[in-house]
Amino acid sequence: GRTARGVSGMRLDDGDLVIGMAVVSPEDKTVQILTVTQKGYGKRTLLDEYRVQGRGGSGVITMKITDKNGPVVAVRQVQDEDDLIIASDRGKVIRTRVSEISEVGRVAQGVRLISMDEGETVGAVAKIVEKDEDHEAKNPANPTENSAKPIENKGEGSGETK
């Protein structure tokens, strides 16, 4: 009903945070989980390394966290042929192939993915999705569906749309 509170999907300890999630097919043996830390370290781990958790489970350790690599800031479902863009909070950006990132077990620390200056942290991690030109030629996208929409300025000022 309307007043129901739902069920507990996962049990978190004090200080734990959910960083991300991915819907995966256990039958697809090419799926890997990419884990990236605040200080620019990362690794790929085969999906088989993660055991299935039931409702209310407490999860599994995905990476050994140290002062050297920092806390986990991003997880992505990837495959060998994917490319990634990793950006720092100070504007440093790199593009790398997923296949160039070490594939290691769940509890490893990872390898350096992006060099960081003192105090600099990873700000964003994005998987690059290549456009399939044949698919687009046969099925053109609805331009209003994929176009940026103007945002109305509701505050004080000129009242113009930006």
Side-chain angles (χ1 to χ4, degrees), residues 13-48:
D13 291 334
D14 288 341
D16 284 353
L17 299 169
V18 175
I19 300 300
M21 65 175 243
V23 177
V24 297
S25 171
E27 294 81 33
D28 187 351
K29 300 301 181 191
T30 65
V31 172
Q32 302 160 349
I33 302 298
L34 173 78
T35 307
V36 181
T37 68
Q38 186 178 52
K39 294 185 179 179
Y41 286 78
K43 66 180 183 120
R44 291 182 298 146
T45 306
L46 286 172
L47 187 60
D48 287 346

Side-chain angles (χ1 to χ4, degrees), residues 145-156:
E145 184 178 307
N146 294 323
S147 301
K149 294 183 173 81
I151 299 171
E152 214 175 294
N153 182 358
K154 302 254 185 197
E156 292 182 30

Side-chain angles (χ1 to χ4, degrees), residues 10 12 37 45 49 54 58 101-102 114 133-136 150 161:
M10 186 173 191
L12 299 174
T37 68
T45 306
E49 296 249 353
S58 58
I101 300 171
S102 295
I114 182 171
E133 291 178 18
D134 290 336
H135 176 75
E136 286 200 11
T161 302

